Amino acid sequence: MRTFPGPALCRSMEFRSAKRAVLQLLRTVAPADLPALLEWMRTTRDFDEFTQDNNDIMLKNIAEDLRNCLPLETMLSSEHLALQKIQRQPEPTVHVDAFLYDEDFIDSLCEEGKMSRNYCTVCGSHQTAPLGFISHSFSLMELKFIYHHVLPDLSGKVLVDVGSRLGAVLYGGYLYSSALQLYGVELNGDFCQLQEMIVKKYQFTDRIKVLHADVCTQGSLLQNADVIIMNNVFEYFLDEAEQARAWEYISRHVRKQGSLLVTVPSLEDSLSGLQGWPGDTAVKFTCSTSAARGLLVWIPGADLHT
């Protein structure tokens, strides 16, 4: 009688060994039953408990890899304008990347004295106030919320992350959705290199492409996108004139009927402070009832049905 490794041994298998074991098992199935088994494997929800946990673990491993490559504040010296804008905030503000550092991780850093949630309002006194935290990335929980609850089924769809930075939206889309292709458009070459490192290490190259480019050169990509995600993409990295130029370019090129734009902050907040923003962009903005946590889903097109 053929024997197979027990559960404990299977859990310790590397990918290639596990793949061989699965193929070997399939070869033992009666030919008449093999199509039914393969169809069951393709459609069953019995694997959810494994894939869900593994996806979360993989994203946490990616976050650890990136933490090892970046300073604690996750800001690069090349981000001159963003650093200046953070320093000019009315209250002391620090950048803490939500993808790399969740609340529990921040608590542990505070306990170790490597980070603080408060600042002293009068030097040497006990009068303290909370520090402002800002992140240019979604947290793991926010990524799951976007892909599981905000967005529809992305099978066969193209998703574009404008200002992909560390690539969290791309990795989340790879693991939590069936999107056909995930494109990251990032102007900073250093961040592009980090994303390429992760994409290659975790074998995401079949569905993720990172473009080192200005979004205002990507008209064709925007025109063909089904979903565009923008998280704090312009406010801290472009001056007002450049922001207005970028939004005007996007409004002209995101014209695919039924396409979705997910933005943080909301479009109203992003556009309200810009001088010279055109009043009539011939674009219909619709807030999805499924959006939450400040996410706005923009549905361009004159005759759309949500």
Side-chain angles (χ1 to χ4, degrees):
M1 183 175 66
R2 185 184 297 271
T3 59
F4 296 95
L9 181 58
C10 287
R11 281 198 298 270
S12 65
M13 278 186 178
E14 294 182 352
F15 170 74
R16 291 185 179 181
S17 299
K19 180 180 176 181
R20 284 196 298 268
V22 170
L23 291 174
Q24 185 178 9
L25 176 62
L26 289 174
R27 293 188 185 100
T28 68
V29 177
D33 294 328
L34 186 58
L37 177 62
L38 293 175
E39 178 64 15
W40 169 78
M41 293 175 68
R42 189 180 69 82
T43 59
T44 185
R45 300 299 300 270
D46 290 350
F47 299 143
D48 284 1
E49 63 178 291
F50 304 109
T51 57
Q52 188 70 31
D53 291 343
N54 287 341
N55 290 340
D56 291 355
I57 291 170
M58 188 174 294
L59 280 181
K60 290 178 180 179
N61 288 340
I62 291 172
E64 182 178 5
D65 288 343
L66 291 170
R67 283 195 298 269
N68 292 333
C69 297
L70 292 162
L72 183 61
E73 64 275 14
T74 329
M75 297 289 292
L76 301 179
S77 58
S78 54
E79 299 183 279
H80 308 295
L81 186 58
L83 290 167
Q84 291 173 9
K85 288 193 174 184
I86 289 176
Q87 291 169 0
R88 290 201 298 262
Q89 293 296 307
E91 299 293 340
T93 301
V94 294
H95 179 265
V96 179
D97 192 279
F99 179 62
L100 303 190
Y101 301 99
D102 60 20
E103 290 296 319
D104 291 339
F105 205 112
I106 292 173
D107 286 342
S108 66
L109 290 174
C110 291
E111 291 173 1
E112 296 170 11
K114 297 178 180 179
M115 184 180 290
S116 175
R117 291 184 180 274
N118 301 286
Y119 71 97
C120 181
T121 58
V122 180
C123 185
S125 79
H126 294 287
Q127 299 179 40
T128 62
L131 274 168
F133 281 10
I134 185 172
S135 174
H136 299 304
S137 297
F138 290 120
S139 68
L140 188 149
M141 292 301 295
E142 288 170 333
L143 289 170
K144 293 174 71 173
F145 180 79
I146 290 170
Y147 285 111
H148 289 168
H149 301 290
V150 173
L151 294 174
D153 179 19
L154 298 183
S155 298
K157 304 297 184 180
V158 173
L159 181 146
V160 176
D161 182 23
V162 178
S164 51
R165 198 169 179 84
L166 299 179
V169 167
L170 305 178
Y171 316 140
Y174 191 100
L175 296 171
Y176 296 138
S177 84
S178 299
L180 177 67
Q181 199 71 52
L182 301 136
Y183 290 94
V185 181
E186 174 56 53
L187 193 57
N188 188 299
D190 295 327
F191 284 129
C192 287
Q193 290 181 13
L194 286 173
Q195 291 176 79
E196 293 285 6
M197 176 192 76
I198 296 298
V199 168
K200 291 176 181 176
K201 176 176 180 178
Y202 289 87
Q203 301 179 4
F204 293 160
T205 53
D206 58 323
R207 292 167 56 208
I208 293 180
K209 297 291 183 295
V210 178
L211 305 177
H212 181 197
D214 183 338
V215 69
C216 292
T217 66
Q218 299 300 308
S220 177
L221 181 63
L222 294 174
Q223 289 168 6
N224 290 290
D226 298 289
V227 177
I228 298 174
I229 296 185
M230 306 172 71
N231 180 23
N232 282 340
V233 66
F234 295 142
E235 181 183 359
Y236 284 86
F237 306 99
L238 301 176
D239 61 35
E240 286 193 3
E242 291 173 323
Q243 290 181 54
R245 165 179 164 268
W247 280 114
E248 193 276 333
Y249 186 89
I250 289 169
S251 72
R252 283 192 290 109
H253 289 86
V254 182
R255 310 302 296 172
K256 188 173 183 179
Q257 188 170 12
S259 57
L260 303 175
L261 179 60
V262 182
T263 70
V264 175
S266 69
L267 283 169
E268 288 88 345
D269 290 343
S270 295
L271 302 178
S272 61
L274 298 182
Q275 295 291 331
W277 175 251
D280 181 13
T281 59
V283 174
K284 175 184 178 183
F285 297 100
T286 304
C287 185
S288 168
T289 56
S290 65
R293 301 193 184 200
L295 303 178
L296 179 71
V297 179
W298 175 30
I299 309 178
D303 300 305
L304 301 184
H305 301 281
T306 58

